């Protein structure tokens, strides 16, 4: 499940929403990774939609993980709950075929510093990147609609992030304890959780 129990969701956030300037655009995501897809990952068949999901590191020894777009001729569409939790990986490249990053998928990856989230990803599960204390670079795809509770909890090295227009909900404590000093909420957001950034000591602006 992508979503963990959430409390205290606010539904009226009109006072805290602003629209990005017309000249501002999301950074262009690379169409291809800088290396070949990682081999040896634990990938399993999903009968419900004729696709594959990544369940874990398997026998892969890469520190920078490139999720394959396809496996045995079918798309890879999901990163399973806790798939890489606690692993010693430094980077992750998620292709556009993936639509769901489940809860705790990368939680506790203490060496993880950079993440590319593809344009097909629609939801980032609860605690997906929680306590990735060295995570400092996140490139988020344009299709993300929901960021669930505590998704980036205690990512202390994360000082900037660009949220895509079209994002609809940010759950409870999604960026709690990060190093963010400002965050711009897209005008498309209709549901914003409490304690979004409460422990971000250097925070200067929410717009």
């Amino acid at each position: 499940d992508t979503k963990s129990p959430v409390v205290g969701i606010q539904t009226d956030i009109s006072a805290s929403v602003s629209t990005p300037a017309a000249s501002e655009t999301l950074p262009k995501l690379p169409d291809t990774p800088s290396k070949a897809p990682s081999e040896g990952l634990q990938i399993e068949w999903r009968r419900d939609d004729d696709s594959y999901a990544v369940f874990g590191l398997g026998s892969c020894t890469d520190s920078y993980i490139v999720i394959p777009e396809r496996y045995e001729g079918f798309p890879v569409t999901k990163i399973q709950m806790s798939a890489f939790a606690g692993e010693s990986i430094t980077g992750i490249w998620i292709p556009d075929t993936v639509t769901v990053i489940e809860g705790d998928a990368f939680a506790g990856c203490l060496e993880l510093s950079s993440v590319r989230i593809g344009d097909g990803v629609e939801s980032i599960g609860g605690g997906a990147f929680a306590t990735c204390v060295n995570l400092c670079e996140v490139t988020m795809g344009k299709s993300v609609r929901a960021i669930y509770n505590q998704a980036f909890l205690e990512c202390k090295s994360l000082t900037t992030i660009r949220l895509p227009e079209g994002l609809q909900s940010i759950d409870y404590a999604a960026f709690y304890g990060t190093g963010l000093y400002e965050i711009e909420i897209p005008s498309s957001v209709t549901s914003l959780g409490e304690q979004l950034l409460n422990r971000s000591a250097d925070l200067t602006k929410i717009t």
Side-chain angles (χ1 to χ4, degrees):
D1 190 0
T2 60
K3 188 172 181 178
S4 300
V6 178
V7 296
I9 298 300
Q10 300 171 346
T11 57
D12 182 6
I13 59 167
S14 57
S16 61
V17 169
S18 68
T19 303
S23 60
E24 296 180 0
T25 58
L26 291 170
K28 179 175 172 55
L29 299 176
D31 294 326
T32 56
S34 58
K35 63 184 288 293
S38 297
E39 297 182 359
L41 297 173
Q42 182 185 353
I43 299 177
E44 298 184 15
W45 179 248
R46 298 182 64 213
R47 295 180 180 178
D48 56 337
D49 63 358
D50 293 337
S51 67
Y52 280 93
V54 179
F55 274 71
L57 197 59
S59 61
C60 181
T61 59
D62 293 348
S63 59
Y64 186 94
I65 303 298
V66 176
I67 304 295
E69 294 182 352
R70 305 183 73 82
Y71 184 76
E72 296 185 346
F74 290 89
V76 175
T77 61
K78 179 186 282 189
I79 299 177
Q80 195 72 13
M81 181 176 290
S82 303
F84 296 91
E87 298 287 1
S88 297
I89 59 176
T90 60
I92 182 77
W93 192 93
I94 300 171
D96 296 347
T97 55
V98 171
T99 59
V100 176
I101 300 173
E102 287 203 334
D104 297 329
F106 301 94
C109 292
L110 303 183
E111 299 174 30
L112 183 64
S113 62
S114 66
V115 174
R116 184 269 194 189
I117 298 173
D119 277 341
V121 173
E122 298 175 357
S123 64
I124 299 173
F129 298 96
T131 66
C132 293
V133 295
N134 284 306
L135 181 59
C136 59
E137 181 182 359
V138 176
T139 306
M140 193 172 294
K142 63 185 179 182
S143 297
V144 175
R145 297 292 178 263
I147 300 174
Y148 289 116
N149 56 298
Q150 302 179 343
F152 294 91
L153 176 73
E154 299 291 348
C155 291
K156 300 179 185 298
S157 298
L158 187 62
T159 59
T160 182
I161 193 167
R162 195 70 171 280
L163 303 179
E165 189 64 38
L167 179 65
Q168 297 172 357
S169 66
I170 307 173
D171 275 0
Y172 173 80
F175 297 99
Y176 191 82
T178 65
L180 289 168
Y181 57 88
E182 65 176 35
I183 188 167
E184 186 172 83
I185 307 299
S187 59
S188 54
V189 171
T190 57
S191 178
L192 189 68
E194 295 178 351
Q195 294 187 324
L196 180 64
L197 292 159
N198 281 22
R199 284 185 58 192
S200 297
D202 297 328
L203 181 68
T204 58
K205 182 175 68 172
I206 299 180
T207 57

